Amino acid sequence: MFNKSCRRVCLLLLALPLLGGCVAAAVTATAAGAAVAVDKRTTGTMIDDEGIELKAMNTISKNKELADSTHINVISYNNRVLVIGEAPTEEMRQQVIDIVRGIPKVTHVYDEITIAAPSSFMSRSSDTVITSKVKTRMLANGDVSGLDIKVVTEDGVVYLMGLVGRDEGDKATQIARTTGGVQKVVKLFQYTD
């Protein structure tokens, strides 16, 4: 049953670059549902991670200057938070990081905000395609549980998060490094061995 579901998710992810936004959202929801079934985090931690992301983005969006001048993404995995995107000034970057650090249950913040104008829609679309390709290759690989690894791409840089063994983390990193369009891979794993 699980193998059949995994194959379906892989096929849908392969088709993702060819499909429109609504279908992409459905594919993401399907993959997320499969991921929840095998996630190594506790249910409480998964809920905490969602809450951290929502609180951060809600607080940032309420600050008109930050909302209008920056492009920020907040990704939480096991209460460790990756903050990526662009801010035009060091002061704005620091404001965003301070907001994220102030959220309850955040244990560590990875600050990967670039001081620059917000990226274009085309650049972000390219990053989405790269993420899909990396995730699809991981799901197709028998040595890596692609459902255990969170893949995020910003400006061609692929960030890998998850609770993995060192061997699995190394294999996932190699898959990401050898995927077309990837400029760099940043490992943010928490190792289980």
Side-chain angles (χ1 to χ4, degrees), residues 90-172:
E90 174 61 28
E91 293 77 22
M92 286 184 168
R93 182 202 64 77
Q94 191 58 54
Q95 268 187 287
V96 170
I97 295 305
D98 290 345
I99 287 169
V100 174
R101 282 195 177 121
I103 295 172
K105 299 195 179 182
V106 170
T107 60
H108 185 82
V109 176
Y110 300 101
D111 175 6
E112 295 290 329
I113 299 173
T114 304
I115 304 301
S119 60
S120 70
F121 176 75
M122 288 304 293
S123 174
R124 287 182 234 158
S125 295
S126 176
D127 289 337
T128 300
V129 170
I130 290 170
T131 296
S132 295
K133 289 185 339 188
V134 171
K135 200 68 171 164
T136 299
R137 290 186 66 212
M138 284 184 187
L139 289 167
N141 184 294
D143 296 327
V144 175
S145 175
L147 297 175
D148 289 339
I149 300 171
K150 187 146 196 145
V151 180
V152 181
T153 307
E154 179 73 28
D155 198 26
V157 178
V158 173
Y159 298 89
L160 303 175
M161 301 176 82
L163 296 166
V164 298
R166 290 191 187 277
D167 187 49
E168 182 178 15
D170 290 344
K171 288 175 183 174

Side-chain angles (χ1 to χ4, degrees), residues 49-121:
D49 286 337
E50 288 294 322
I52 289 167
E53 291 175 9
L54 290 171
K55 285 176 191 168
M57 294 311 295
N58 188 37
T59 304
I60 291 166
S61 71
K62 285 181 181 177
N63 180 319
K64 183 161 176 44
E65 184 182 23
L66 287 180
D68 292 345
S69 303
T70 64
H71 165 250
I72 302 295
N73 286 308
V74 177
I75 302 93
S76 182
Y77 191 94
N78 208 36
N79 298 340
R80 292 177 177 224
V81 182
L82 168 64
V83 186
I84 56 176
E86 302 85 26
T89 67
E90 174 61 28
E91 293 77 22
M92 286 184 168
R93 182 202 64 77
Q94 191 58 54
Q95 268 187 287
V96 170
I97 295 305
D98 290 345
I99 287 169
V100 174
R101 282 195 177 121
I103 295 172
K105 299 195 179 182
V106 170
T107 60
H108 185 82
V109 176
Y110 300 101
D111 175 6
E112 295 290 329
I113 299 173
T114 304
I115 304 301
S119 60
S120 70
F121 176 75

